[in-house]
Amino acid sequence: EKITVVTMAAASSVGMMRSLVSKYGFFSQENPWTSAFVTCTVKGCAADYLAQTFIEDTPTENFDVARNLLFGFYGGWYCGWAQHAIYNILYTNLFGSSTTTFNAIRKVAFDSAVHVPFIVFPVYFMYKHTLYDGDGPLAGLRKYRDDASALLLSYYTVWVPANLAVFTFIPVRFRIGFIATTSLGWLSISSFLTHGGLSSTSD
């Protein structure tokens, strides 16, 4: 009887999840710009919450709400709007809509060689150093120059395979949501390991 109850609960959860995903896909298809902005704003706020709470060990009373909203807004306008324009519109115009492996490799190669090193990270560092650190966009670019090698290596490790998936079998209406979920999932794992997941295991 207990197994039956558990099975029914699991089936109900799966059905509910499928319904939510279906509704998200429909909303994203009908309202791509709104969906991208909202999805990535929520992701940006959640990512900064993880960073402040688990990576930086910020006490609850010292949680920086202004910073959280700042990165949430960055998530919305760049990770949401800009990436929708780039991944779903620009790349389709440049490379076509084919989802073959060859075409996906072309898109990922261009993304990795041009978009990421010359647009994604420079924009992020200029935004952060202007609106949060307060020392201006040039300071942000200098910081990026110093950290570029390690940042790009870390980025390519995760996002080359993830973007190959994006451009081969992830439907357009789910692409931004998939990217946001992957990004948040990677940060969650990194936060767990950084916060002591490995040390607690070794203890």
Side-chain angles (χ1 to χ4, degrees), residues 33 36-37 40 74-90 115 119-120 123 176:
W33 297 99
F37 184 85
C40 292
Y74 170 81
W77 74 263
Y78 191 84
C79 300
W81 282 341
Q83 289 194 346
H84 170 66
I86 293 166
Y87 288 163
N88 294 334
I89 299 174
L90 177 63
H115 175 222
I119 300 176
V120 172
V123 167
I176 297 302

Side-chain angles (χ1 to χ4, degrees), residues 138-182:
L138 292 180
L141 290 175
R142 286 192 291 269
K143 176 65 174 172
Y144 171 53
R145 178 196 61 197
D146 295 340
D147 296 348
S149 296
L151 278 172
L152 290 170
L153 179 60
S154 176
Y155 179 93
Y156 295 147
T157 300
V158 176
W159 288 104
V160 166
N163 282 336
L164 282 172
V166 165
F167 295 124
T168 50
F169 62 83
I170 303 297
V172 173
R173 64 185 182 278
F174 290 120
R175 282 180 181 172
I176 297 302
F178 175 82
I179 291 168
T181 303
T182 302

Side-chain angles (χ1 to χ4, degrees), residues 103-153:
N103 205 38
I105 289 173
R106 291 202 303 163
K107 291 179 179 180
V108 172
F110 182 86
D111 192 65
S112 300
V114 179
H115 175 222
V116 173
F118 297 110
I119 300 176
V120 172
F121 282 127
V123 167
Y124 170 77
F125 276 90
M126 287 190 291
Y127 179 90
K128 178 180 181 292
H129 280 262
T130 299
L131 296 182
Y132 181 71
D133 295 319
D135 49 3
L138 292 180
L141 290 175
R142 286 192 291 269
K143 176 65 174 172
Y144 171 53
R145 178 196 61 197
D146 295 340
D147 296 348
S149 296
L151 278 172
L152 290 170
L153 179 60

